[in-house]
Amino acid sequence: MTRSIIFSCMLLFLGGCSWMYAIDGEDEENFDISAAGMEVTELEFLNQEGEEQQTNDFEGGYWLANMVFTSCPEICPIMSPNMQNLQATAIDEGIPLQFVSFTVDPETDSPELLKQYGTNLGVDYNSWTFATGYEQEEIETFSLETFKSPVQKVEDGSDILHVTAFFLVDDEGTIIRKYDGLETDQTAIVQDLKDTIK
């Protein structure tokens, strides 16, 4: 019982569609998490075209990852446009960066629904992949093992708790940066991306 209460409290502070989320890196000095030794684990998925892919397909280049779902009521409508703004800036500035959004609601978010979601955002699919097609327990395990962040449906089923950070993965699959996905002033993030991705 005590463990359940502690875990629930941890979820509230780590992420999800909740304004109580507090991120560890809210300024450029704290973006660097490379010393944590976080590695991307293998996950097979379907992209927005219904094509089979896996996370190691992105090795050899830098990519920015986040967790979303199309019916997210509060947080994703802020995070996703922020991610799209970073993509547009990366294209304009010539920053070689891929973007990957993993749905935390794979039972609902089909490839077709995710493609429509991305189209509504105005994303460029040449450098943005939406991932689905796995089981709920697979994405929960992936998030814990890769991003050290829980994913959990709330009891009434109306929401899913998930991390609100953007994670920068290097060309070897190591997570080296953590950015606040709710930050609308992205000046420091863009500068860090320029300085990091050579």
Side-chain angles (χ1 to χ4, degrees), residues 71-160:
S71 60
C72 178
E74 295 176 358
I75 297 300
C76 301
I78 299 172
M79 290 175 57
S80 294
N82 284 349
M83 187 88 139
Q84 193 277 330
N85 287 337
L86 285 176
Q87 184 194 40
T89 301
I91 292 171
D92 289 344
E93 298 284 342
I95 303 171
L97 183 62
Q98 293 288 315
F99 295 79
V100 184
S101 292
F102 297 92
T103 180
V104 296
D105 188 15
E107 294 179 5
T108 301
D109 289 342
S110 64
E112 296 80 11
L113 187 56
L114 285 169
K115 185 169 185 179
Q116 185 60 56
Y117 181 79
T119 299
N120 292 343
L121 285 171
V123 309
D124 183 339
Y125 290 115
N126 289 315
S127 60
W128 194 322
T129 300
F130 286 90
T132 188
Y134 32 71
E135 299 297 325
Q136 184 67 34
E137 64 181 37
E138 288 183 281
I139 193 60
E140 292 174 3
T141 299
F142 175 78
S143 184
L144 273 177
E145 293 181 349
T146 298
F147 303 126
K148 311 307 178 191
S149 304
V151 167
Q152 183 171 325
K153 290 187 176 182
V154 298
E155 288 187 6
D156 66 5
S158 63
D159 204 351
I160 301 174

Side-chain angles (χ1 to χ4, degrees), residues 173-193:
T174 301
I175 300 171
I176 58 172
R177 295 290 189 274
K178 181 179 180 182
Y179 304 119
D180 185 352
L182 302 178
E183 177 57 67
T184 55
D185 182 357
Q186 299 177 321
T187 305
I189 296 174
V190 171
Q191 187 58 54
D192 189 71
L193 288 170

Side-chain angles (χ1 to χ4, degrees), residues 4-98:
S4 177
I5 293 172
I6 291 173
F7 185 70
S8 297
C9 291
M10 181 179 69
L11 287 175
L12 286 173
F13 284 100
L14 280 177
C17 293
S18 164
W19 292 105
M20 296 180 69
Y21 179 80
I23 191 169
D24 290 334
E26 293 182 348
D27 60 67
E28 60 269 34
E29 294 180 359
N30 296 324
F31 291 155
D32 189 347
I33 59 170
S34 55
M38 296 165 62
E39 302 284 339
V40 175
T41 58
E42 186 174 339
L43 179 69
E44 296 181 354
F45 62 88
L46 298 177
N47 66 21
Q48 69 275 359
E49 304 296 337
E51 300 166 338
E52 294 182 358
Q53 284 192 252
Q54 50 191 1
T55 47
N56 62 19
D57 290 341
F58 301 111
E59 290 182 5
Y62 285 78
W63 50 289
L64 197 67
N66 74 339
M67 314 289 278
V68 299
F69 63 108
T70 60
S71 60
C72 178
E74 295 176 358
I75 297 300
C76 301
I78 299 172
M79 290 175 57
S80 294
N82 284 349
M83 187 88 139
Q84 193 277 330
N85 287 337
L86 285 176
Q87 184 194 40
T89 301
I91 292 171
D92 289 344
E93 298 284 342
I95 303 171
L97 183 62
Q98 293 288 315

